Amino acid sequence: MEEGKMDENEWGYHGEGNKSLVVAHAQRCVVLRFLKFPPNRKKTSEEIFQHLQNIVDFGKNVMKEFLGENYVHCGEVVQLPLEFVKQLCLKIQSERPESRCDKDLDTLSGYAMCLPNLTRLQTYRFAEHRPILCVEIKPKCGFIPFSSDVTHEMKHKVCRYCMHQHLKVATGKWRKISRYCPLDLYSGNKQRMHFALKSLLQEAQNNLKIFKNGELIYGCKDARSPVADWSELAHHLKPFFFPSNGLASGPHCTRAVIRELVHVITRVLLSGSDKGRAGSLRAGLGPQGPRVCGASPFSRSLRCQGKNTPERSGLPKGCLLYKTLQVQMLDLLDIEGLYPLYNRVERYLEEFPEERKTLQIDGPYDEAFYQKLLDLSTEDDGTVAFALTKVQQYRVAMTAKDCSIMIALSPCLQDASTRESLSAWSVMSEWKPSTWGKLRARVLTTNCSAETTLGKRMCPEGAEPHGLDLG
Ligand SMILES: O=P(O)(O)O[C@@H]1[C@@H](OP(=O)(O)O)[C@H](OP(=O)(O)O)[C@H](O)[C@H](OP(=O)(O)O)[C@H]1OP(=O)(O)O
Ligand SMILES: Nc1ncnc2c1ncn2[C@@H]1O[C@H](COP(=O)(O)OP(=O)(O)OP(=O)(O)O)[C@@H](O)[C@H]1O
């Protein structure tokens, strides 16, 4: 990127989350990811540079190790002309959803991350003139806490996502309770996975987005977004998934196209042989806890028919979902078991603030940091070292619980007519380093954001699904 010649007119608003805002280059396959802050939160340029550099290092030395080289794009920190950033900020402001405007894009430091645009990912196998489809899924936490520290019975039965649905509808964040349950998606059972993906397509919330040639064609901004229109989606998808029933239009055609999409995504999620060291966690992180969530509509309907829910048919070890789940399960103690350990580290740091650096509280996220994460013991020897390892594992797990999987699909030239088989598609599943900033920013800092994060996870989630105060 020639930073000296940046022109805001070549960039457009692409999307944003709670912590960052992304703009995409109109022609080139790159995005810039800026940090966002509440208006009164002033950070120095040096702090912002360090924050971004930590995200890059965390991607390189931790997430790549766990998930594998091919699934993680770390990007790089770039310095941009301040005038460019200021003009860009003005240009995109009107496109931002209102619900996200409580935070402002950082226009003062001039730093951002430059990453490949994963919604337009091309490889040499892609036919250049063919459209590229990208499905972004934020699958959330795929297991029910197995820690003996959990005190609320409900937390052993119902997954966090399903509990939060009640809260989100009650607070008006979303209109309708979703039928999606992460445990169905992570089950490895195709029937359950299909149900989960269909449910995501019905009520996407912020767990599913679909892009065509880098443009968002399906997704939901907030509770006021129009109801999902499957026939419109099917229209977009037809060049990719011409229905095998031969129908070119109508509700049958729509259903057939959606079904094919669901089947292809399932196959992608179950495929993958890329090496990552999540396997090295296997010994300590075998399947634990209930495999079925008490709130999943899929399971409930089977129960009504007197049938049992098929449990995990076992996720293939190399697949993305398996690796993701392994990293999520680094949360061995649940917040209830972790919080006292967090307090132990806090107290220690209050007494010995100079130790912050030696203990790598805020990075660097290097090989030594990664190695400590592999210690899965839960025997508390009363040391700060033990407490710190558990807190760092929790932070990494939080990242995996909140990451998105980006699946780029495009028909291959040589095989474009064979639409039934996955080999007919160039399929790339990518990890985006969505929330790695949280690792540094959310825990073990003394600001209230850290307190709130841990505090909010202390809530007895099952007890009052309608009235939780998330702070
Ligand atoms: O707590 P959750 O499960 O609701 O997850 C939060 C996400 O809500 P979601 O449920 O995905 O709509 C939330 O996403 P939205 O702002 O709702 O798009 C953030 O990703 C938040 O992470 P952070 O505070 O930006 O580091 C996420 O917070 P963390 O729990 O990951 O800290
Ligand atoms: N490298 C990328 N290529 C294409 N799109 C991207 C890329 N990185 C992020 N995006 C898009 O921008 C959106 C917001 O980015 P991101 O999820 O990283 O924000 P965040 O603030 O970290 O999220 P959260 O709310 O989870 O904290 C994503 O949902 C995705 O659609």
Side-chain angles (χ1 to χ4, degrees):
M1 179 172 324
E2 287 188 68
E3 283 130 37
K5 293 189 195 155
M6 300 294 287
D7 177 355
E8 69 276 6
N9 296 311
E10 292 176 354
W11 299 83
Y13 178 80
H14 181 71
E16 66 189 291
N18 189 32
K19 288 279 167 28
S20 35
L21 186 149
V22 176
V23 295
H25 194 271
Q27 275 89 42
R28 283 183 292 128
C29 194
V30 287
V31 299
L32 291 172
R33 187 168 177 239
F34 293 90
L35 292 177
K36 315 190 305 184
F37 298 102
N40 51 0
R41 181 84 57 88
K42 292 273 175 285
K43 292 230 176 201
T44 65
S45 299
E46 178 51 32
E47 281 173 322
I48 290 188
F49 173 79
Q50 199 49 61
H51 187 143
L52 292 169
Q53 191 56 50
N54 273 347
I55 297 175
V56 174
D57 292 345
F58 183 64
K60 271 190 194 148
N61 299 317
V62 179
M63 285 327 241
K64 260 195 183 176
E65 288 293 331
F66 280 134
L67 299 170
E69 183 77 21
N70 293 346
Y71 291 130
V72 182
H73 290 266
C74 305
E76 56 174 352
V77 182
V78 289
Q79 190 170 20
L80 304 160
L82 286 178
E83 190 51 29
F84 162 75
V85 183
K86 218 166 86 191
Q87 294 306 325
L88 184 66
C89 178
L90 290 174
K91 185 187 162 202
I92 60 163
Q93 189 58 30
S94 61
E95 291 182 61
R96 300 182 60 197
E98 209 185 308
S99 56
R100 296 287 188 192
C101 289
D102 55 334
K103 289 186 182 157
D104 299 331
L105 180 136
D106 158 44
T107 51
L108 299 176
S109 75
Y111 291 114
M113 275 170 75
C114 181
L115 294 146
N117 185 340
L118 299 177
T119 63
R120 285 174 50 189
L121 214 55
Q122 308 233 8
T123 73
Y124 66 96
R125 285 173 296 157
F126 283 4
E128 299 234 322
H129 62 283
R130 287 193 175 264
I132 290 170
L133 194 70
C134 173
V135 181
E136 174 177 354
I137 299 175
K138 189 177 179 184
K140 304 296 286 188
C141 181
F143 71 97
I144 290 187
F146 42 83
S147 162
S148 56
D149 292 302
V150 170
T151 53
H152 301 280
E153 203 36 44
M154 189 63 84
K155 275 174 73 176
H156 283 306
K157 293 186 183 144
V158 175
C159 81
R160 178 179 167 85
Y161 178 89
C162 289
M163 282 191 215
H164 266 190
Q165 281 298 303
H166 291 271
L167 177 77
K168 286 175 184 171
V169 171
T171 55
K173 182 168 177 177
W174 300 115
R175 202 174 8 217
K176 234 172 113 190
I177 290 196
S178 161
R179 290 156 66 81
Y180 170 70
C181 170
L183 266 75
D184 289 330
L185 188 70
Y186 285 90
S187 68
N189 174 283
K190 285 201 179 139
Q191 212 192 343
R192 283 177 74 184
M193 292 178 78
H194 292 164
F195 182 88
L197 290 168
K198 251 192 182 155
S199 305
L200 279 181
L201 282 161
Q202 275 158 350
E203 197 53 35
Q205 299 189 357
N206 70 349
N207 301 95
L208 178 105
K209 288 180 197 162
I210 302 179
F211 299 85
K212 190 168 162 184
N213 298 330
E215 296 290 325
L216 185 69
I217 56 161
Y218 197 78
C220 203
K221 278 187 182 148
D222 54 36
R224 279 169 296 169
S225 297
V227 180
D229 184 344
W230 275 16
S231 59
E232 202 183 312
L233 175 64
H235 177 75
H236 278 294
L237 295 180
K238 264 191 261 169
F240 297 86
F241 304 100
F242 191 79
S244 48
N245 63 10
L247 292 170
S249 62
H252 289 299
C253 165
T254 298
R255 277 202 293 276
V257 170
I258 300 284
R259 196 167 45 238
E260 299 211 7
L261 172 70
V262 163
H263 285 209
V264 169
I265 300 173
T266 304
R267 275 183 280 167
V268 174
L269 290 175
L270 292 174
S271 69
S273 56
D274 182 59
K275 297 204 174 34
R277 288 204 238 167
S280 54
L281 299 170
R282 214 177 300 145
L285 298 176
Q288 294 181 61
R291 320 274 176 84
V292 176
C293 166
S296 154
F298 181 85
S299 308
R300 271 190 285 140
S301 86
L302 283 186
R303 268 204 308 279
C304 289
Q305 298 166 40
K307 296 182 192 155
N308 285 331
T309 311
E311 293 198 350
R312 277 188 233 290
S313 41
L315 286 168
K317 299 267 187 285
C319 82
L320 257 181
L321 283 180
Y322 176 83
K323 291 179 193 186
T324 310
L325 190 60
Q326 289 281 299
V327 183
Q328 294 183 349
M329 285 165 91
L330 279 175
D331 172 11
L332 293 162
L333 304 175
D334 190 73
I335 187 64
E336 295 191 54
L338 184 90
Y339 198 53
L341 300 176
Y342 168 76
N343 285 335
R344 186 188 299 169
V345 181
E346 278 277 74
R347 279 195 305 272
Y348 183 79
L349 289 174
E350 269 161 33
E351 209 177 326
F352 306 103
E354 70 285 359
E355 286 284 295
R356 220 181 156 85
K357 213 163 169 211
T358 333
L359 292 175
Q360 294 187 265
I361 302 290
D362 313 303
Y365 302 125
D366 53 13
E367 174 69 19
F369 180 90
Y370 168 75
Q371 285 299 333
K372 286 187 210 141
L373 297 170
L374 302 179
D375 177 359
L376 301 179
S377 65
T378 47
E379 244 0 54
D380 185 1
D381 57 7
T383 60
V384 168
F386 172 82
L388 183 57
T389 299
K390 295 304 126 190
V391 174
Q392 300 293 35
Q393 285 171 338
Y394 177 83
R395 297 169 74 197
V396 175
M398 289 277 288
T399 303
K401 289 180 192 182
D402 200 40
C403 275
S404 293
I405 294 170
M406 315 277 282
I407 300 168
L409 300 163
S410 188
C412 284
L413 251 190
Q414 70 275 21
D415 228 351
S417 58
T418 327
R419 293 177 192 270
E420 283 295 291
S421 96
L422 187 62
S423 60
W425 303 87
S426 292
V427 177
M428 304 225 19
S429 319
E430 302 295 337
W431 266 86
K432 85 185 161 58
S434 75
T435 50
W436 299 340
K438 126 182 344 164
L439 186 88
R440 191 190 70 86
R442 302 297 298 274
V443 187
L444 288 177
T445 56
T446 49
N447 64 27
C448 46
S449 147
E451 246 100 54
T452 314
T453 305
L454 285 164
K456 112 182 166 186
R457 283 175 182 268
M458 288 297 283
C459 286
E461 287 147 329
E464 288 176 70
H466 292 280
L468 296 184
D469 173 13
L470 290 194

